[in-house]
Amino acid sequence: MKADDPGGAMESSAARLSGVAFGALGTGLVLAGVISIAMGLPYQAHNMAPLAGPGEIGRRLGEISPLLAAALGALVVAGVVLLLGARRLKPASAAVELIVLGAAIEVCVLGAIGRIGYAADGSVLLAGVACLMGGAAVVAAGLIVALARE
Amino acid sequence: MKPRSSDAVRRGVGLVLAIDALALAVVLATAPAAFIWLDGSRPSPLAVSSAGASGSGAASPAATVSPGVASPSPSGAVATPTESAPAQTLTYGDGTWSRIPSLPQPLWGTGSALLKDGRVLVVGGSSGPVSSTAVATVEVFDPQANSWAAATPMLQARAYPATVTLPDGSVLVVGGSRDGLPLDSAERYFPDSVSWVSAGTMSVPRTHSTATVLQDGRVLVVGGGSDASSTFKSTNTAEIFDPATGNWTPTASMASSRALHTATLLADGEVLMAGGASTYHGSKGTVRATAEIYDPKSASWRAAAPLSVARYHHTAVLLSDGRVLIAGGWSFTTNTDPSLATAEIYDPAAGTWTPTGSMAVGRARARMTALPDGRVLVVGGVDPAYRVMATAEIYDPATGRWQPTGRLATAVMWPAMAVLRDGRVVVAGGALEALAGHVTAVCAIYTPPAP
């Protein structure tokens, strides 16, 4: 984009704004899903008991590491989104980061889906679905930000 | 460069908005896509089945009992399934787990017994990690109606009781605990009148004890945690309940105190006690490898050959050939050692223990029962990493091997379990984690694979 191209700037701003919105949506969904599963509220995962407290994170690290990684990925996405919204990050760089983070979140959630895919009563666990949606939203954020021409 | 026109700007922003809408649609579509994928990729195909069945064989009294476990009916007549409420069926290779209606409330540490009419009685239990949340509720599962119905509550709320079906069809519920205190009371359920009657009090309070119906119809109650303090010190005492008189009579004591042991009625009428712990509070307990045999004729105990390893929280069943299979458990009370996957068989004729095939994974606080065809089903329990499992395994005494036989919809520890007349197995409730902080009400029926 050239500096004297106000139309392009507007498109870029719109793309940034959209990317930020999708990134925030993805972060929220992933974090909400992970917290729900970790606390067993409102439904318990069929093969992952809720954490009794923070002290259990270390003891059950092997079991919860995929979810932990997804949550950490979501937090990094939140950071990227903040920097993008504050124009401290180039859209091209942010786009790559968001796409990679979104894909990583999806891989982590899918890796744990055998434990968290279903609720204790056998129905599909909404929190697991929310995590998958969150990862998709982050990838979408990356693709949209890639449209920003700066 | 000439600035773009306002039309071009509108088109550009419109393009971004269109892409936004498309991306939003894709993200939103992830939810139904995930639903469809997860629903279709359960570990088994989903189907609607008729889960009810009517049995024709006569129920027999429970003879081999760990706390809360109903023993199987040996009458293996397979009944014709009848129409009933549809249930989800989960098939994982061999063996089928079918969802049935859940208990009215989450419970674990319940007692269960097969009634003479083929229904399953589930009594007491706890909705939380400790017996302060013990309940007096009684639920009856009717396999034909595929439904649970509430029955008259017990006289006393209790968790971890020992429960047996007596020859007259009544059910004796013994001991257990409430508010952390072992109970000395016993009560008796009469299905015909749907009523509970006090069955007196034992000489000492007992929780995690065993109750075994002897061949003459009397009930031998042995060991259990008897200390009212928080140490859960176990007792070596034993006493006998006579259903004809309703009286308790002390009998000879074991050489060792034990709780969370197993008791198995042998074919010759003697009773084998195996394993157990002196106390099971933290690291203060000693887990026994010893075994003792009670002879009802002489009312005396004698030492049996010891187990290969100390075990408590293990499971035991009488095999159809008269031998006794013992599997799993823990060897220490420290709550840090891994659960045992090993199993061993006691041969009463030779008086020896012989190792047999190990389970695929260590299991403590699992439920195990003999199927009418002679095989043995073990369900759930705590794995070596202190996670509660949803998996089940089936043991074939002919081969001495365990095979995975699917998994329940939820992980369970100490659910209620009972073998129906048609050979299927009801599993009800259970704890979702080793500390029982979360408990489930989910129930399932297992249909064994063809031998």
Side-chain angles (χ1 to χ4, degrees), chain B residues 68-71 103 107 110-125 136-143 147-154 161-166 169-173 187-192 194-196 415-420 426 428:
Chain B
V69 182
S71 58
L103 289 166
L107 288 172
T110 51
S112 60
L114 183 68
L115 300 178
K116 278 201 161 181
D117 61 7
R119 295 179 302 159
V120 177
L121 187 77
V122 174
V123 300
T137 56
V138 178
E139 304 293 336
V140 179
F141 178 71
D142 186 338
S147 63
W148 291 94
T152 308
M154 291 187 292
T163 310
V164 289
T165 305
L166 301 176
S170 63
V171 176
L172 180 69
V173 179
E187 48 193 302
R188 199 167 163 187
Y189 177 72
F190 292 90
D192 294 339
V194 197
S195 60
W196 289 90
M417 191 157 96
V419 180
L420 300 177
V426 172

Side-chain angles (χ1 to χ4, degrees), chain B residues 84-139:
Chain B
S84 63
Q88 290 180 322
T89 299
L90 308 179
T91 304
Y92 301 78
D94 293 338
T96 302
W97 289 95
S98 302
R99 291 275 307 283
I100 59 174
S102 297
L103 289 166
Q105 64 175 323
L107 288 172
W108 78 297
T110 51
S112 60
L114 183 68
L115 300 178
K116 278 201 161 181
D117 61 7
R119 295 179 302 159
V120 177
L121 187 77
V122 174
V123 300
S126 176
S127 58
V130 291
S131 61
S132 60
T133 50
V135 298
T137 56
V138 178
E139 304 293 336

Side-chain angles (χ1 to χ4, degrees), chain B residues 282-349:
Chain B
S283 58
K284 297 175 183 172
T286 300
V287 180
R288 314 273 190 209
T290 59
E292 300 182 56
I293 292 177
Y294 180 77
D295 181 357
K297 290 173 186 159
S298 61
S300 63
W301 294 91
R302 70 174 188 275
L307 297 158
S308 64
V309 294
R311 298 175 191 267
Y312 86 135
H313 282 293
H314 56 292
T315 52
V317 296
L318 180 69
L319 300 176
S320 54
D321 60 6
R323 297 179 301 161
V324 179
L325 172 69
I326 282 186
W330 284 304
S331 285
F332 300 94
T333 60
T334 53
N335 287 343
T336 54
D337 66 311
S339 53
L340 300 165
T342 57
E344 47 195 310
I345 289 181
Y346 179 75
D347 184 346

Side-chain angles (χ1 to χ4, degrees), chain B residues 33 44 86 137 172 178 181 191 214 228 235 245 264 287 293 343 355 404 411 427 441:
Chain B
S44 70
T137 56
L172 180 69
R178 185 186 186 188
L181 303 177
L214 302 174
T235 177
T245 63
T264 309
V287 180
I293 292 177
V427 177

Side-chain angles (χ1 to χ4, degrees), chain B residues 322-419:
Chain B
R323 297 179 301 161
V324 179
L325 172 69
I326 282 186
W330 284 304
S331 285
F332 300 94
T333 60
T334 53
N335 287 343
T336 54
D337 66 311
S339 53
L340 300 165
T342 57
E344 47 195 310
I345 289 181
Y346 179 75
D347 184 346
T352 56
W353 292 93
T354 308
T356 186
S358 293
M359 297 179 287
V361 65
R363 294 178 190 271
R365 289 183 175 173
R367 290 298 193 208
M368 189 164 76
T369 189
L371 302 174
D373 62 14
R375 291 176 297 173
V376 176
L377 175 72
V378 65
V379 174
V382 182
D383 76 2
Y386 274 75
R387 292 176 302 219
V388 176
M389 297 174 287
T391 57
E393 298 181 55
I394 195 165
Y395 176 79
D396 187 344
T399 62
R401 295 178 64 183
W402 297 85
Q403 295 287 339
T405 188
R407 54 189 302 153
L408 294 95
T410 175
V412 288
M413 175 180 79
W414 270 0
M417 191 157 96
V419 180

Side-chain angles (χ1 to χ4, degrees), chain A residues 124 126 129-130 132-133, chain B residues 24-40:
Chain A
V124 174
L126 285 175
V129 173
L132 287 173
M133 279 183 73
Chain B
L24 187 61
V26 169
V27 171
L28 292 178
T30 308
F35 260 109
I36 292 167
W37 169 64
L38 284 168
D39 216 30

Side-chain angles (χ1 to χ4, degrees), chain A residues 2 4-11 14-15 18 22 25 29 39-40 44-47 49-52 56 59-60 62-63 106 110 113-115 117-126 128-129 132-133 136-137 140 144 147 149, chain B residues 1-4 8-9 11-13 15-17 19-21 23-32 34-35 37-43 88 99 102 385-390 407-411 432-433 435 438-440 442:
Chain A
K2 301 281 176 61
D4 57 353
D5 184 357
M10 195 167 288
E11 285 174 32
S18 299
F22 273 90
L25 173 69
L29 284 169
M39 296 181 69
Q44 297 169 23
H46 77 296
N47 205 13
L51 294 174
E56 270 206 334
R59 194 164 61 81
R60 294 169 55 192
E63 180 188 356
E106 293 290 76
L110 289 172
I113 208 74
R115 288 179 172 276
Y118 307 97
D121 64 0
S123 59
V124 174
L125 188 64
L126 285 175
V129 173
L132 287 173
M133 279 183 73
I144 291 169
L147 296 174
R149 294 175 296 158
Chain B
M1 179 182 173
K2 185 181 176 184
R4 292 196 296 178
V9 170
R11 277 198 300 273
V13 173
L15 179 65
V16 171
L17 288 176
I19 292 170
D20 283 357
L24 187 61
V26 169
V27 171
L28 292 178
T30 308
F35 260 109
W37 169 64
L38 284 168
D39 216 30
S41 61
R42 287 175 201 273
Q88 290 180 322
R99 291 275 307 283
S102 297
Y386 274 75
R387 292 176 302 219
V388 176
M389 297 174 287
R407 54 189 302 153
L408 294 95
T410 175
L432 291 164
E433 55 187 25
L435 296 177
H438 293 83
V439 183
T440 184
V442 173

